[in-house]
Amino acid sequence: MKDMRTVITGQLPASPPPPSGEFGEVRIPAPPTPLSRERLLEEVRGATAIVSTLNDRIDAEVADAAGSGLRVVANVAVGYDNIDVSALQDRGVIVTTTPGVLTDATADLTMGLLLSVTRRLGEGERLLRSRAPWTFELGFMLGTGLQGKTLGIVGLGQIGRAVAHRARAFGMNIVYTSRRRAPEQVEETCDAVHLSFEELLRTADVVSLHCPLIPQTRHLIDAQSLANMKPTAYLVNTTRGPVVDEAALAEALSAGQIAGAGLDVFEHEPEVEPRLLGCDNLVLSPHLGSATKETRNAMTQLAFDNVRAVLRGDDPLTALP
Ligand code: DGY
């Protein structure tokens, strides 16, 4: 414990309380957070453990700034595109993430966006707040029902599966695509049919993205993919912004090439492509996928449990291979 130091880069949710004792000296940098690159490099100096968020780029430079005592980086997220995993592992640093505990919250938010965009809830809310006159009419602000429609899931991992289960309850048919076909038993429980990416784009009434951001998925949804979707189809993205080419999406939405989109994540977070903001057929939320009190506490707790295990010399619970 002597000389150990745990650095937590972001503000914590109200509970669980920050770790103490076996975590050595615990440093939670004063606001403002997210830390600038300069402050991050400064704050991690001498760290044995870093508890990071997706705002922090954790790479060789950060590991070297921390020094040779760094043993673990616990990312409070399931995604880890902010981490240069091989640079850390080359230095013997264990990297952990928080899978599982945010699956339900993220799947719930996906359904929220899906319903919001197909039932035009954002447009309706904007109309009322603008105090523009309106009356109930049989043809007023009609959306699209989900019953019998096809949901195309890109990436049938834990979150993709949880979305499939929810969408089945709404009467949707499920198709999916992923790098590796899911085991038969998963296909059966999700009632999901495997298609190629191109087939899925052509078939789905809603395309929902649940793949990780890796070089092969950057701009997976580009002008060509959008052109391959049905003009009546919707796109939902709750994974990582750069999976979608936002300029191409803005173009497709304003041209009516697809019916609408729901986005929780953005290509250059926290910036949002200005042309998207002018699209009425778009529902936006500010990266809220895992943002429930229960889930953020569970994510933080899991990150702390991982740090504790590594510092004790035990196996971490959710380390990256
Ligand atoms: C994640 O965990 O990767 C989410 O985007 C943030 O909770």
Side-chain angles (χ1 to χ4, degrees), residues 1-5 21-25 48 71:
M1 207 185 311
K2 196 168 158 295
D3 296 335
M4 285 198 317
R5 175 178 293 177
E22 48 199 329
F23 292 79
E25 179 203 348
T48 321
R71 288 164 62 188

Side-chain angles (χ1 to χ4, degrees), residues 118-169:
T118 55
R119 298 300 300 274
R120 304 176 64 177
L121 296 183
E123 279 178 74
E125 160 121 9
R126 284 192 291 280
L127 176 87
L128 290 177
R129 287 185 189 272
S130 76
R131 296 175 193 269
W134 67 282
T135 43
F136 175 88
E137 302 271 9
L138 291 179
F140 175 61
M141 221 179 239
L142 301 187
T144 301
L146 300 180
Q147 184 77 35
K149 299 285 165 43
T150 298
L151 174 66
I153 295 181
V154 179
L156 199 64
Q158 292 191 62
I159 297 172
R161 292 175 209 179
V163 170
H165 289 304
R166 284 158 176 73
R168 285 294 298 142

